[in-house]
Amino acid sequence: MSGANLYTMTFVPGRNATIEDVAAAAGVSRAAVSKVLRNAYGVSDSMRERVTATMTELDYRPRIAARAMRGRTYTIGIEIPDLGNQFFTRMLTGVMGALAGTIYQVVIAPAEEGSRLGLRAIEALVDRQVDGVVAVSPRVSSEALDRIATQTPVVMFGRHDHSDAYDSIAGDDVAGTRMAMDHLLNLGHTRIAHLTLEEAEEETQSAHGIRLREYRAAMTEAGLADQIVVLRTDEGQDAANSAVRTAIEGGTPITAVFAAHDELAIGALRATAETGRQLSIVGYDDVPIASHPALGLTTVHQPGSEMGLRAIQLLMERLQGRTEAVHEIFTPELRVRTSTRSAPTS
Amino acid sequence: MRRAANISDVAREAGVSRAAVSKVIRDAYGVSDQMRVRVNDAIERLDYRPRVAARAMRGTTSTIGIELPDIGNPFFDKIIDGAAAAREGTGFQLIIAPAGRDVEEGRRAITALSDRQVDGIIAISPLVATEWLESLAQRVPIVMVGRHDNSLAYDTVTGDDIEGTRLVMDHLHRLGHRKIAHLTRSAEVTAFGSGTPHAVRLEEYERFMSQHGLEGVSRVIRSGPTEDESRGAVAEILTGPDFPTAIFAGNDAMALGALRALATNGPSDASVSVAGYDNITIAGHPAVSLTSVDQSGFAMGEHAVELLLSRLAGRTEALHITTAPRLYPRNSTRPPAGNSSEGV
């Protein structure tokens, strides 16, 4: 193809090849290139070969923006409040597995620092015309998601929503909290504190809100309502460490801590190591490091990877036309390790 | 599913021309205050969002894309935190394209970002060819994080992997260790002269061993990137005779795997020292107490964004920034068994 070679010599590097460049180099009309691109009828095999060979040679890529103008972008957006939380890593592994070998690309938008609201990041994804969104930040209002779902399919991950407009995937936080609390109560603990984030509110459908509510219910049912201690902390191991240390050093007579997630539980373990105070600690999620023998964290396992995979399946069903909302709950399992022991007898 | 409002809908709602709406959006001259209020009201009522795709056609999106291999490595989270902090208040949105572990995956993720018309790309040590990156850098600014590339076409942010490796090796050697093994990634990742962090650390490990007359006891253990793979790799050598007294792992994730193997299959508790690289958060946990090298991942992420912003502001010559490493000795490294004195 001497035409292509001649053209290559005058091709300006640093500029994306356009459809016109391909047409000129292949010596065919722009309409013919377009037909090949659209996989339309009436294109001869030799024409198809000629055009695709030229596209490869010029590294021509139909622009995503141009494709977006016509419909799909084959992009799935994931909004994540805290990339450092290894439970979300598990979820992303499921997402990536579900899309491996497909044309779909995953893009992740981290929520803005500070606000943790996540709405801006979700809107940024929608602006980039993703074909579907998995929203993970627990504090985005369901009204905002309802509105977004009128344009782009949404799956809310981790919160127990009942929207008619979008789907949701969550763990059974009532059952999970009961498993953790029953385990500690069976070990003879009565002074059990709950370590949770500042923003956890009992009246919401967020995972942490439900865990807090069920903690209180379990204590009350065990006749321990007067022993209820809720320790509040910011996100992160260091903050959780100092919240538990402050409680220990302030003389709060606790023997066990049920933490709202593993990151907080690992901070609580640090507090026990640094103060020498024996406390039984239970986490939630079962992040990969929880099973490390150095930590041996007893925790409530959530099937993060399966949940991520299911979130993608739900988006794909939406893209294929499903309009009715689906809300699925996954069952957790207690993993007992070395961080919990019988309550001291005195 | 309701269709998103477009510019024509806004024009109709406001009772003005399409051109007038466009003028208001572009903040152009010659728009009366009254017109602006009217159009903005209509935009709000219809929840109209100027489409990024449409803006991308005109070349004005404000997005930085990060290509991220190996999701779940906490060191990369630090880099992303740094990048996120540096873009606060700049109006730039961050999007991350995760990549699997092989060469094609890195290239695919970077291409995906370029296709989505990001304004700049941060590539975290992928195995993609430098020539390919250089050609892409003619269209979009690129910062390579981690790999030591001397490109004139794009910028780099790296750790001083030579110095970091010497810090660890000196530390182990002074404790009295001679049989020091290096736990690292596959031969593909550590290809000689490739400039990947793992390649540089391996080369420096070998140089150190030969400088100290220890070629005879040097040993390289290969592993995938995950804790589970490195646990398996170390568990396997523990079943053989003559295992090392210390393991220098190419990163903390692999070091954690080594510790896991030692805790379950080890000859006796605490008889093999382990050092890592990256100083991830869990390394400082008293229950783990992993000796490690900090290479300031957060600062690396900040530098990467600053380099992209200065490129976008017009800089054309390539810059190469290196962060200084610092050793954090902890309980995971001790003198070898039967050698309580600090060797010289």
Side-chain angles (χ1 to χ4, degrees):
Chain A
M1 239 188 270
S2 60
N5 292 336
L6 257 179
Y7 187 82
T8 309
M9 286 166 65
T10 55
F11 181 67
V12 187
R15 183 172 67 85
N16 276 314
T18 63
I19 197 164
E20 286 81 10
D21 296 330
V22 175
V28 302
S29 71
R30 197 181 174 289
V33 176
S34 170
K35 268 191 173 178
V36 172
L37 271 175
R38 282 183 288 113
N39 212 6
Y41 289 107
V43 180
S44 69
D45 284 352
S46 69
M47 168 75 82
R48 190 182 310 280
E49 265 169 40
R50 195 159 154 190
V51 170
T52 46
T54 310
M55 284 194 268
T56 308
E57 189 167 352
L58 299 185
D59 192 23
Y60 170 73
R61 312 185 54 80
R63 291 166 57 142
I64 292 285
R67 278 199 260 147
M69 289 296 198
R70 301 195 299 268
R72 299 266 171 102
T73 59
Y74 300 104
T75 311
I76 299 294
I78 319 275
E79 175 273 328
I80 297 260
D82 179 12
L83 264 175
N85 184 330
Q86 300 278 307
F87 178 61
F88 299 143
T89 305
R90 277 239 161 103
M91 181 267 267
L92 283 171
T93 307
V95 165
M96 299 286 289
L99 296 175
T102 73
I103 187 176
Y104 281 89
Q105 171 68 35
V106 175
V107 300
I108 302 164
E112 294 277 311
E113 184 82 29
S115 78
R116 278 210 218 113
L117 292 173
L119 187 56
R120 271 190 63 185
I122 293 171
E123 286 183 333
L125 288 169
V126 173
D127 282 350
R128 271 152 196 88
Q129 315 213 292
V130 294
D131 294 335
V133 172
V134 180
V136 182
S137 280
R139 295 172 76 197
V140 177
S141 78
S142 47
E143 292 73 28
L145 291 182
D146 276 338
R147 178 171 53 75
I148 288 163
T150 60
Q151 298 172 18
T152 306
V154 173
V155 174
M156 163 46 80
F157 186 94
R159 197 171 67 187
H160 301 251
D161 285 5
H162 304 287
S163 167
D164 294 329
Y166 59 87
D167 304 334
S168 70
I169 293 257
D172 188 340
D173 294 292
V174 172
T177 302
R178 289 299 169 135
M179 290 171 192
M181 290 302 292
D182 282 347
H183 173 63
L184 288 172
L185 291 166
N186 288 338
L187 286 171
H189 292 278
T190 53
R191 300 174 180 276
I192 306 166
H194 182 46
L195 175 63
T196 189
L197 295 174
E198 297 285 0
E199 68 241 30
E201 293 169 40
E202 278 180 69
E203 60 273 18
T204 65
Q205 289 304 306
S206 73
H208 287 209
I210 294 170
R211 291 170 202 169
L212 171 59
R213 195 165 62 221
E214 286 306 309
Y215 157 76
R216 286 183 185 277
M219 290 294 276
T220 305
E221 282 164 31
L224 300 169
D226 56 342
Q227 305 286 350
I228 288 172
V229 174
V230 177
L231 304 175
R232 298 278 183 170
T233 173
D234 281 334
E235 192 62 84
Q237 289 175 27
D238 289 345
N241 175 16
S242 57
V244 175
R245 279 188 77 132
T246 305
I248 292 172
E249 286 159 6
T252 311
I254 50 174
T255 62
V257 175
F258 164 48
H261 68 213
D262 286 349
E263 187 80 0
L264 305 182
I266 291 167
L269 280 176
R270 188 189 276 247
T272 66
E274 286 175 2
T275 59
R277 173 77 165 273
Q278 288 289 311
L279 288 178
S280 283
I281 313 275
V282 181
Y284 209 106
D285 287 341
D286 196 19
V287 298
I289 197 76
S291 64
H292 199 286
L295 297 178
L297 180 65
T298 296
T299 187
V300 178
H301 175 86
Q302 296 208 83
S305 176
E306 287 88 339
M307 291 165 80
L309 184 138
R310 189 65 190 132
I312 296 303
Q313 287 172 341
L314 290 179
L315 285 181
M316 293 299 154
E317 289 170 18
R318 286 277 186 178
L319 291 171
Q320 282 154 20
R322 175 167 57 77
T323 53
E324 226 135 278
V326 169
H327 303 285
E328 288 188 6
I329 305 287
F330 283 71
T331 307
E333 274 172 46
L334 185 72
R335 297 279 155 89
V336 177
R337 302 197 179 100
T338 54
S339 71
T340 45
R341 292 164 298 273
S342 296
T345 42
S346 60
Chain B
M1 210 169 290
R2 198 185 73 206
R3 178 176 67 83
N6 60 31
I7 197 163
S8 306
D9 298 331
V10 174
R12 212 165 20 245
E13 176 81 12
V16 301
S17 71
R18 213 174 161 287
V21 175
S22 166
K23 271 190 170 176
V24 171
I25 290 169
R26 282 183 287 114
D27 212 8
Y29 288 107
V31 180
S32 71
D33 285 353
Q34 194 197 348
M35 170 76 83
R36 193 181 309 280
V37 169
R38 208 159 144 188
V39 170
N40 282 333
D41 282 352
I43 285 175
E44 204 164 304
R45 271 198 303 279
L46 297 182
D47 191 27
Y48 168 69
R49 311 177 61 79
R51 294 167 55 141
V52 170
R55 283 199 276 133
M57 287 297 199
R58 304 193 302 269
T60 59
T61 54
S62 304
T63 317
I64 290 171
I66 303 185
E67 177 265 344
L68 175 72
D70 188 14
I71 275 198
N73 183 330
F75 176 61
F76 296 143
D77 297 338
K78 286 193 182 183
I79 296 175
I80 287 170
D81 282 349
R87 66 83 208 242
E88 290 272 325
T90 62
F92 278 83
Q93 179 70 32
L94 214 57
I95 65 170
I96 299 162
R101 47 212 266 187
D102 60 66
V103 187
E104 280 312 308
E105 274 284 294
R107 187 174 159 138
R108 186 192 52 71
I110 292 171
T111 306
L113 289 169
S114 158
D115 282 352
R116 280 156 187 81
Q117 322 233 292
V118 295
D119 296 275
I121 294 176
I122 298 172
I124 303 183
S125 193
L127 300 174
V128 297
T130 51
E131 297 74 26
W132 183 76
L133 275 183
E134 288 188 333
S135 124
L136 187 62
Q138 294 182 313
R139 296 183 211 146
V140 56
I142 293 174
V143 177
M144 162 62 77
V145 174
R147 199 172 72 185
H148 299 256
D149 292 350
N150 268 319
S151 174
L152 296 174
Y154 58 86
D155 305 329
T156 61
V157 178
T158 51
D160 186 342
D161 293 296
I162 293 178
E163 175 63 15
T165 300
R166 293 205 78 87
L167 289 173
V168 179
M169 292 302 290
D170 264 338
H171 170 69
L172 292 172
H173 193 257
R174 284 204 189 135
L175 285 172
H177 292 282
R178 298 296 176 266
K179 285 199 276 184
I180 306 169
H182 183 41
L183 172 60
T184 187
R185 299 278 307 276
S186 67
E188 185 187 30
V189 177
T190 63
F192 185 80
S194 65
T196 68
H198 290 292
V200 176
R201 290 169 203 167
L202 172 60
E203 286 158 28
E204 195 52 34
Y205 160 80
E206 285 175 337
R207 186 172 305 127
F208 185 98
M209 291 299 271
S210 75
Q211 278 171 356
H212 292 79
L214 300 171
E215 302 99 318
V217 291
S218 77
R219 179 166 189 178
V220 176
I221 308 165
R222 301 285 182 176
S223 163
T226 66
E227 195 187 311
D228 200 46
E229 286 163 295
S230 58
R231 182 200 53 74
V234 172
E236 201 178 307
I237 71 148
L238 288 175
T239 61
D242 199 30
F243 41 76
T245 64
I247 297 172
F248 162 41
N251 67 27
D252 286 347
M254 290 192 285
L256 287 171
L259 287 175
R260 207 187 265 254
L262 288 165
T264 38
N265 309 53
S268 74
D269 217 27
S271 69
V272 178
S273 287
V274 175
Y277 209 105
D278 292 340
N279 198 28
I280 61 175
T281 306
I282 200 76
H285 196 288
V288 175
S289 197
L290 173 67
T291 296
S292 189
V293 176
D294 194 301
Q295 51 170 342
S296 311
F298 190 89
M300 290 171 103
E302 284 182 314
H303 287 315
V305 166
E306 284 157 10
L307 286 174
L308 283 182
L309 296 180
S310 70
R311 279 276 184 185
L312 291 169
R315 177 171 55 81
T316 51
E317 85 284 13
L319 288 179
H320 301 284
I321 295 179
T322 301
T323 62
R326 185 177 158 193
L327 182 75
Y328 284 82
R330 299 197 179 96
N331 297 340
S332 69
T333 48
R334 301 157 302 269
N339 179 357
S340 52
S341 68
E342 297 235 329
V344 184

